Amino acid sequence: MKNTELNQRRLQATPRGIGVMCGFYAEKAENSTLWDVEGNEVIDFAAGIAVLNTGHRHPKIVAAIEKQLQAFTHTAYQIVPYESYISLAERINDRVPVNGPAKTAFFSTGAEAVENAVKIARAYTKRPGLITFGGGFHGRTFMTMALTGKVAPYKIGFGPFPGSVYHGQYPNAAHGVSTADAMHSLERIFKADIAPDQVAAIILEPVQGEGGFNVAPADFMQALRKLCDTHGILLIADEVQTGFARTGKLFAMEHYDVKPDLMTMAKSLAGGMPLSAVAGRADVMDAPAPGGLGGTYAGNPLAVAAAHAVLDIIDEEELCSRAAKLGHHLVEVLNNAKADCPHIVDVRAQGAMVAVEFNDPQTGAPSPEFTKQVQDKAMKEGLLLLSCGVYGNVIRFLYPLTIPDAQFRKALDIIRRSLSQ
């Protein structure tokens, strides 16, 4: 089987709207390595878009899924429940950084989690409005597209979108947006678009994923919490990409001294299996009436089994501290590269959630062209990198936190060479 043959079949069988980045096709994977159908080896710094913090096919995850497969694969939790769902909720409730007792509900995808967080927030507050931020990404359903602050490629041709959604500015020092600017943008929304007593929730990513790995400043998070408390607005942390040790903590919100009311999570929660969750204050989570939450596959038992294993692995292998260590080494490489790579305008990180941003050194304009050049150079040496950012001029690094040290050093050498002019 050849990659070119599969590509022709793909073009004939699947719609162009499903964009595919790579020209090779996976045949097998192990930890942080992929092999394509032609036997080529690739170091995976994409990890299924932040899904594989525990690597491809971790033995404990494989064993957990196999064990559950011998029992049952599906009952629909709302019809016939099972203990593993409850015990996973208990484990997450014990660890989410919210005030007071917590409760958790499981779903299948990140977008589904965000949709349900909106439902819960509206049920609790009896208000319609939602505020989010430019550059944020929250999903591909209609509500989550409305929340997403990036047009191309996610919104083009799909409108109109649900109303009562408003976008503020997200702080970004590299782009000249301060915490004060961001808070003023919210005040303008309250003056021009919607009264604060009609806003159900403010939702944000503590570190914007698709938007470019922009880290929310501590004073911004404090100001948001104060604003929400003043007006009875819920604060929702979208931790779909930041969760499960990626930032050096189990959840990115643990880096702040404020607590959200609701949190969404998915991606690395189940180590490659489709599982998402909404967790939050028990009184808020209980707002919807019985039957108001759920889904046919929500909390699938195979995915739940995998998630139990993920939590075990994170603790046993100390992946939070490992994320901080790996991220530190990568940031060092990127900062040292600035001397020979004038395109680098910013390096930012929280734990292993690391990104580098490129502008044209002559004009100062964002340079998606140079970004693609770096990606292509790395790919020629067998390293898979992802881009992001509103202007497509940021490379994000999403290696499994279980990556062997020798392979990580090899990847860093490839990055050094790919950044050289």
Side-chain angles (χ1 to χ4, degrees):
M1 195 179 304
K2 298 290 185 181
N3 288 314
T4 52
E5 295 169 4
L6 285 171
N7 202 49
Q8 287 301 314
R9 288 169 58 189
R10 175 182 70 84
L11 293 172
Q12 291 297 317
T14 65
R16 67 180 188 134
I18 302 174
V20 173
M21 174 183 155
C22 293
F24 62 88
Y25 289 76
E27 183 169 63
K28 62 178 180 176
E30 193 76 26
N31 199 353
S32 50
T33 306
L34 287 165
W35 289 268
D36 73 3
V37 294
E38 297 176 10
N40 299 305
E41 185 176 308
V42 176
I43 302 173
D44 187 3
F45 265 42
I49 319 180
V51 167
L52 300 164
N53 288 354
T54 51
H56 291 275
R57 298 182 64 254
H58 193 290
K60 290 189 175 181
I61 295 174
V62 172
I65 295 170
E66 288 177 342
K67 182 179 179 181
Q68 180 58 49
L69 192 60
Q70 298 303 316
F72 60 93
T73 62
H74 179 72
T75 64
Y77 178 79
Q78 304 96 277
I79 305 302
V80 180
Y82 31 92
E83 187 276 339
S84 58
Y85 182 116
I86 298 167
S87 57
L88 183 60
E90 290 170 337
R91 295 181 74 179
I92 290 175
N93 293 341
D94 287 341
R95 301 188 67 166
V96 288
V98 300
N99 279 320
K103 289 189 175 183
T104 297
F106 295 108
F107 305 97
S108 300
T109 67
E112 198 178 351
V114 173
E115 290 262 354
N116 279 279
V118 168
K119 288 162 58 177
I120 293 164
R122 285 177 167 173
Y124 179 79
T125 62
K126 306 296 190 288
R127 300 173 179 183
L130 300 163
I131 293 176
T132 183
F133 296 92
F137 179 82
H138 300 284
R140 296 174 181 267
T141 61
F142 273 93
M143 174 53 74
T144 56
M145 278 193 293
L147 293 168
T148 290
K150 184 178 178 181
V151 173
Y154 307 111
K155 296 186 177 186
I156 294 174
F158 295 138
F161 303 109
S164 297
V165 175
Y166 307 93
H167 290 83
Q169 286 185 292
Y170 194 96
N172 187 328
H175 293 188
V177 181
S178 67
T179 289
D181 294 330
M183 296 308 297
H184 288 153
S185 75
L186 300 185
E187 292 299 332
R188 284 194 293 273
I189 289 171
F190 291 153
K191 294 293 185 184
D193 298 311
I194 188 170
D197 65 4
Q198 291 300 302
V199 176
I202 294 176
I203 180 169
L204 81 160
E205 299 163 279
V207 184
Q208 288 190 327
E210 181 64 22
F213 281 22
N214 307 307
V215 182
D219 61 346
F220 178 60
M221 217 47 106
Q222 292 163 353
L224 283 181
R225 181 71 270 177
K226 182 178 179 181
L227 182 72
C228 288
D229 291 342
T230 297
H231 297 292
I233 298 169
L234 296 180
L235 182 61
I236 303 175
D238 183 342
E239 293 242 22
V240 167
Q241 190 161 163
T242 55
F244 301 98
R246 173 56 53 184
T247 67
K249 304 281 189 182
L250 189 65
F251 298 108
M253 286 303 296
E254 295 178 73
H255 291 282
Y256 302 96
D257 61 0
V258 301
K259 300 181 187 300
D261 302 297
L262 292 170
M263 295 174 60
T264 60
M265 57 198 78
K267 289 193 180 286
S268 280
L269 166 59
M273 297 292 284
L275 185 69
S276 64
V278 181
R281 287 168 33 198
D283 60 324
V284 176
M285 291 293 295
D286 277 339
L293 303 177
T296 301
Y297 295 105
N300 171 269
L302 296 173
V304 166
H308 275 289
V310 164
L311 292 177
D312 291 341
I313 293 162
I314 288 172
D315 290 342
E316 292 166 6
E317 300 186 17
E318 299 180 341
L319 292 189
C320 289
S321 60
R322 181 160 176 77
K325 176 184 174 183
L326 295 175
H328 172 77
H329 290 317
L330 176 53
V331 167
E332 200 170 44
V333 167
L334 296 172
N335 281 329
N336 289 339
K338 288 179 180 178
D340 298 318
C341 184
H343 283 82
I344 296 176
V345 292
D346 196 27
V347 175
R348 44 189 178 264
Q350 194 169 76
M353 200 165 182
V354 181
V356 57
E357 183 166 355
F358 303 109
N359 283 359
D360 186 298
Q362 304 301 320
T363 66
S367 183
E369 299 83 8
F370 184 79
T371 306
K372 184 66 164 59
Q373 179 182 316
V374 172
Q375 274 186 294
D376 290 345
K377 278 186 175 182
M379 194 68 253
K380 285 179 182 177
E381 293 200 51
L383 177 63
L384 175 59
L385 299 176
L386 292 182
S387 63
C388 63
V390 173
Y391 301 101
N393 66 324
V394 178
I395 286 180
R396 51 179 160 171
F397 302 90
L398 288 169
Y399 43 86
L401 303 176
T402 51
I403 184 171
D405 288 340
Q407 191 178 38
F408 189 68
R409 289 193 296 270
K410 179 180 178 181
L412 294 185
D413 288 339
I414 295 171
I415 291 167
R416 288 187 187 97
R417 291 192 291 272
S418 299
L419 291 171
S420 63
Q421 301 295 102

